[in-house]
């Protein structure tokens, strides 16, 4: 028969879980913020592009940035 874990062990496991969740959240939040800043840079690049070819290149970079941001969520 399997022994039941002590309440202190269950609490410690839960607190470890909360710490891991907080750490993962902070990492994801930081990555999302970084991609949001990159998004603004790319939007300015598109807005100020001197020609269609440069605008298309910037739009492609924007597309990749958005995919990366969604992966981090």
């Amino acid at each position: 028969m399997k022994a039941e874990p002590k309440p202190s062990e269950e609490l410690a496991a839960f607190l470890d879980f909360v710490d891991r969740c907080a750490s993962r959240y902070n990492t994801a939040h930081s990555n999302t913020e970084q991609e949001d800043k990159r998004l603004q840079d790319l939007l300015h690049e598109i807005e100020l592009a001197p020609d269609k070819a440069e605008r298309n290149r910037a739009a492609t970079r924007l597309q990749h940035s958005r995919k990366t941001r969604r992966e981090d969520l």
Side-chain angles (χ1 to χ4, degrees):
M1 190 165 148
K2 188 175 181 181
E4 233 180 85
K6 295 179 185 177
S8 60
E9 294 170 342
E10 289 180 340
L11 182 59
F14 175 74
L15 292 176
D16 287 342
F17 170 74
V18 170
D19 286 343
R20 286 192 313 272
C21 288
S23 176
R24 289 183 70 187
Y25 171 81
N26 289 334
T27 300
H29 186 265
S30 176
N31 291 343
T32 301
E33 277 185 340
Q34 190 174 24
E35 282 303 316
D36 284 344
K37 289 176 184 176
R38 181 180 161 130
L39 168 67
Q40 286 303 312
D41 291 344
L42 291 168
L43 289 173
H44 287 126
E45 220 177 297
I46 291 169
E47 180 183 9
L48 302 172
D51 57 34
K52 182 179 177 180
E54 186 57 39
R55 198 168 35 253
N56 286 341
R57 283 190 285 277
T60 300
R61 287 192 298 276
L62 172 65
Q63 181 182 30
H64 292 299
S65 173
R66 300 297 293 163
K67 285 180 182 178
T68 300
R69 185 182 186 281
R70 281 191 294 275
E71 288 171 1
D72 289 341
L73 296 178

